[in-house]
Amino acid sequence: MSRFSHLFSSLGRLRRSRGFGVHSPFAFRFVLNVMCQKHGYYAYKTIEHLHFYATRLARHKPWRSDVMPLCEAKALFRIVNYYNPSHLLHLGSTAGLSVAVTALPSSKSRHLLYVPGAECTDMLTSCADRVDKERNMAAVAKHYTQIIAESSEKPFVTIDLKEAEPQAEAVVRHAVDSGGVIVFCNTAKGSESLRLSDMCRQYARRGMWFGNHHVGVMVANPKLPRQDFMLWL
């Protein structure tokens, strides 16, 4: 999106972030109470420390600019805190930040992490006993599908990928078809996350997408009409 288009859409995003023009009861609550909630949370100080540490870790890495902004990290925490999933699948996690943040709402949550290449996951020390890392996407996706089927849960997936991952499309489609929640991180960088977010929005026939030019959240509840909400986070 050009700078002019970005600025032109700002007013509409700001209005929707305050609930104006959001007529679905679920969307209205989700926008005001989760995506754009301004009140402090108990974990914000911890998230600020994690983000600072992740930024320092990434300073001399090829992906140093790919650590999600602090506001995204806090929004991710609020989304996980709202849904409180027991099992989460992570496709990529720059410096391990998204996994560390999503592990905060519940000390009992379990996390499956696909780690592409030599990605750093030094952030995961505090929750290492709850995180299973895998370098084969097909294997981790199959494992997560089995867990979801056995637990009767809805999928909860975070995606923070920079390089192309064709197999990730199947994961996104499965999560959508199963009525799950998918969070796309770092979508402003021309990344794989952005491509998968766009693919998801085109693929889904029901459900709602919330986000901006940096993060996107697909709530694929089949009871919801297909709508997109561009917000100001």
Side-chain angles (χ1 to χ4, degrees):
M1 178 175 283
S2 68
R3 179 176 296 182
F4 177 78
S5 299
H6 181 80
L7 292 174
F8 186 75
S9 69
S10 297
L11 181 59
R13 290 186 288 117
L14 182 60
R15 291 184 70 255
R16 282 188 291 274
S17 299
R18 296 179 176 178
F20 296 104
V22 181
H23 302 297
S24 162
F26 166 79
F28 184 84
R29 292 192 300 268
F30 193 70
V31 167
L32 293 185
N33 298 334
V34 182
M35 293 297 295
C36 301
Q37 173 64 262
K38 301 303 181 184
H39 298 303
Y41 277 76
Y42 64 91
Y44 275 7
K45 284 294 183 183
T46 301
I47 295 172
E48 290 167 5
H49 289 309
L50 288 171
H51 186 268
F52 176 75
Y53 183 49
T55 304
R56 292 195 62 181
L57 283 176
R59 185 173 297 170
H60 304 295
K61 301 292 183 179
W63 35 262
R64 59 188 177 276
S65 63
D66 294 338
V67 174
M68 70 173 69
L70 180 59
C71 61
E72 277 187 41
K74 290 181 177 180
L76 178 59
F77 167 81
R78 293 194 299 270
I79 296 165
V80 176
N81 189 66
Y82 178 79
Y83 281 102
N84 195 27
S86 298
H87 299 88
L88 298 87
L89 171 63
H90 306 272
L91 303 186
S93 179
T94 304
L97 180 60
S98 60
V99 179
V101 167
T102 57
L104 292 173
S106 172
S107 61
K108 297 180 180 179
S109 61
R110 303 291 305 184
H111 303 257
L112 293 179
L113 170 61
Y114 165 67
V115 186
E119 185 174 326
C120 174
T121 54
D122 291 349
M123 298 284 297
L124 306 181
T125 304
S126 62
C127 58
D129 59 325
R130 296 189 280 134
V131 179
D132 295 323
K133 293 183 285 186
E134 175 63 64
R135 295 191 184 276
N136 185 302
M137 182 178 291
V140 73
K142 181 179 180 181
H143 187 191
Y144 187 69
T145 300
Q146 292 173 342
I147 291 174
I148 292 299
E150 293 171 359
S151 64
S152 299
E153 289 183 72
K154 299 295 184 184
F156 194 104
V157 182
T158 72
I159 298 179
D160 186 356
L161 294 170
K162 185 174 183 180
E163 304 297 332
E165 294 284 356
Q167 296 182 69
E169 291 189 12
V171 176
V172 172
R173 287 193 293 268
H174 176 266
V176 170
D177 294 340
S178 302
V181 176
I182 314 166
V183 183
F184 300 91
C185 305
N186 283 321
T187 59
K189 308 221 171 16
S191 63
E192 177 74 344
S193 294
L194 175 61
R195 186 186 72 82
L196 291 169
S197 179
D198 291 341
M199 184 277 290
C200 179
R201 293 167 71 178
Q202 295 174 12
Y203 177 76
R205 294 294 175 263
R206 304 289 292 178
M208 296 179 173
W209 181 93
F210 305 84
N212 57 17
H213 310 296
H214 302 279
V215 62
V217 183
M218 172 59 76
V219 179
N221 186 335
K223 296 182 180 179
L224 297 174
R226 182 69 189 90
Q227 291 179 293
D228 290 352
F229 297 94
M230 288 292 289
L231 306 173
W232 184 299
L233 299 180

